[in-house]
Amino acid sequence: MTGADGGRKDARVVVADDQTVVREGIVMLLGLLPGLEVVGSARDGEDAVRLVGELDPDVVLMDLRMPRCDGVEATRLIRGRYPRTQVVVLTTFADDDSLFAALRAGARGYLTKDAGGDEIVRAVESVLSGDAGLSPSVQRRLLERLSETEAAVPQPPEAPDGLTAREAEVLVLIAEGLTNQEIAHKLHVSTATVKTHINNMFAKTGLKDRAQAVRYAYAKRLVRPRSE
């Protein structure tokens, strides 16, 4: 981290963990690491949010499982109120649910508590430079989870009769009962663009009106009855 005079500044860190022995151990470890300055420690999520407001740290090392306000909620509050402060989750638990919840809440880094000092320094430097600070094991779990998610999502049927993906999307929205204006709003395009897609879709399929388009969408399995 670079200071106003162009020199390197230590990253100011707050540590949040509800277990006193663990929290003090982390503070002691960070005090031995180059480039880091511990400016405060919090015993739970509420305390962490308060300290961030008072101390304006660069980074919070955040435990997830804490009373009153857990690390995920504290991360969400900090990133919403004090967006300059980055959050690196530091936890014993490396399960997928807590990982994704923390990342969705705004955490930029995620380390397990068996991480070494060099790994912690790299994670802090990464999030302050705008990158994600994830341990190698967490990166693997993230990629595995994304692969599983992609495999689990059913792929939409191929658009029939030479329809483009956008024309098929408009057709599905028509079948769901949306007006041209509502489709335009949902797709972030103009109403004129929606009309163009509809005209092209009608020309390719030979359809004459919206009622026929709805029947066509169900017949081609682009839309399925809600009972299925």
Side-chain angles (χ1 to χ4, degrees):
M1 189 176 175
T2 303
D5 59 358
R8 188 174 179 79
K9 245 179 97 175
D10 288 348
R12 302 174 73 253
V13 179
V14 164
V15 176
D17 196 297
D18 66 316
Q19 298 182 42
T20 302
V21 173
V22 175
R23 183 173 67 250
E24 291 178 352
I26 294 172
V27 169
M28 186 178 299
L29 170 62
L30 296 182
L32 301 174
L33 299 178
L36 302 181
E37 177 192 0
V38 179
V39 296
S41 62
R43 64 185 182 276
D44 57 38
E46 287 187 8
D47 204 20
V49 176
R50 178 184 61 80
L51 284 178
V52 169
E54 293 176 0
L55 302 173
D56 188 30
D58 300 304
V59 177
V60 178
L61 292 182
M62 181 80 74
D63 186 28
L64 288 183
R65 309 299 175 90
M66 295 184 292
R68 292 205 301 170
C69 175
D70 65 21
V72 173
E73 177 63 12
T75 296
R76 186 186 67 78
L77 292 172
I78 289 169
R79 295 295 296 144
R81 297 176 186 177
Y82 314 106
R84 194 192 78 78
T85 298
Q86 302 296 330
V87 176
V88 174
V89 170
L90 186 61
T91 181
T92 304
F93 302 92
D95 60 283
D96 290 336
D97 290 339
S98 61
L99 167 60
F100 277 83
L103 294 176
R104 283 195 297 268
R108 292 298 305 273
Y110 193 109
L111 297 169
T112 53
K113 288 181 181 176
D114 59 359
D118 290 345
E119 201 172 350
I120 295 174
V121 171
R122 283 196 300 271
V124 170
E125 290 178 343
S126 293
V127 299
L128 291 181
S129 66
D131 297 327
L134 301 175
S135 70
S137 62
V138 169
Q139 285 182 328
R140 285 194 299 272
R141 292 178 71 83
L142 181 59
L143 291 173
E144 289 169 3
R145 180 64 174 268
L146 289 175
S147 298
E148 291 169 0
T149 302
E150 290 175 357
V153 174
Q155 297 300 311
E158 185 175 348
D161 295 323
L163 295 180
T164 65
R166 181 61 100 183
E167 289 162 358
E169 188 175 12
V170 169
L171 173 59
V172 168
L173 295 176
I174 289 175
E176 291 178 353
L178 273 66
T179 66
N180 287 0
Q181 290 79 8
E182 290 169 336
I183 294 172
H185 179 74
K186 187 176 183 68
L187 300 181
H188 305 288
V189 298
S190 68
T191 304
T193 298
V194 172
K195 289 179 180 177
T196 298
H197 289 315
I198 293 174
N199 289 336
N200 290 340
M201 181 258 294
F202 280 179
K204 290 177 180 179
T205 59
L207 300 172
K208 303 298 183 185
D209 55 37
R210 295 173 85 91
Q212 288 184 357
V214 171
R215 290 195 294 271
Y216 176 88
Y218 278 94
K220 295 296 185 179
R221 308 290 284 179
L222 295 175
V223 181
R224 301 192 179 196
R226 296 189 183 278
S227 60
E228 289 190 12

